[in-house]
Amino acid sequence: MPAWPTRRPDRSHRRARRHGRGRSSHRPSRPPLWHSRPATRPGSLVPSRRDGTLWRVSLTDRDDLHDEILLRLEAKGRRFTSNHRLVIDVLADAGRPLTIPEILPRTPQVPQSSVYRTLTVLEEAGAVSRLTMGSNHAHFELSEQLGHHHHHLVCRACGSIVDIDLDPEIEQAVEAELNRSALIHGLRIDEHSIDAFGYCAHCS
Ligand SMILES: [Zn+2]
Ligand SMILES: [Zn+2]
């Protein structure tokens, strides 16, 4: 009989053990300054960042998404207004980053100045991310803090940005390699971003 297991343990088990060990042995006495604490509630779908895991759980249910954003706005002393909800739904429905010229026709009932202000408030609350690469117009999308970790393909000519998901196995490998390098430099990673640049089919 072999003295070692004949079957590799499944990956989820290994991940769980690794994260469990990381929590017990690597937790600093104080979180690094770049850690921002998310709004949480009992049963929140957004996982804690403290164990170093990324945002894996998507807020796919629209009510959960609204609830999470409401909490984030309240934490900033803001109310969740109908304008906030409208802009969030436009970004969630688009499934790709949008520029303000793309957002405005989708929110005809909201004055243009309110759209700008709403995006700024949502960005400050960590609900919306502003992407500044690619073109003169900034793109806006739901923040990765709300659950959907992904990467971008950016056209250098027209500035279009497309969201892409990497294979989970590759994502794990990238994460492990980044963590390995970061540990050498004393950085505890709580997120990463990898974007690819080139020329789209229309521009090449
Ligand atoms: Zn292009
Ligand atoms: Zn994106």
Side-chain angles (χ1 to χ4, degrees), residues 154-160 198-204:
V154 184
C155 176
R156 293 187 191 279
C158 69
S160 64
Y199 294 90
C200 76
H202 294 295
C203 298
S204 52

Side-chain angles (χ1 to χ4, degrees), residues 95-97 131 133 141-142 144 148 150-152 161-164 195:
R96 65 177 178 85
L131 309 175
M133 71 288 209
E141 66 178 7
L142 295 187
E144 285 206 346
H148 180 210
H150 62 278
H151 303 272
H152 298 118
I161 302 179
V162 175
D163 287 346
I164 56 164
D195 300 326

Side-chain angles (χ1 to χ4, degrees), residues 100 104 107 110-117:
I100 285 181
L104 290 177
T107 55
V110 185
Q112 182 168 335
S113 61
S114 290
V115 172
Y116 282 96
R117 199 163 53 244

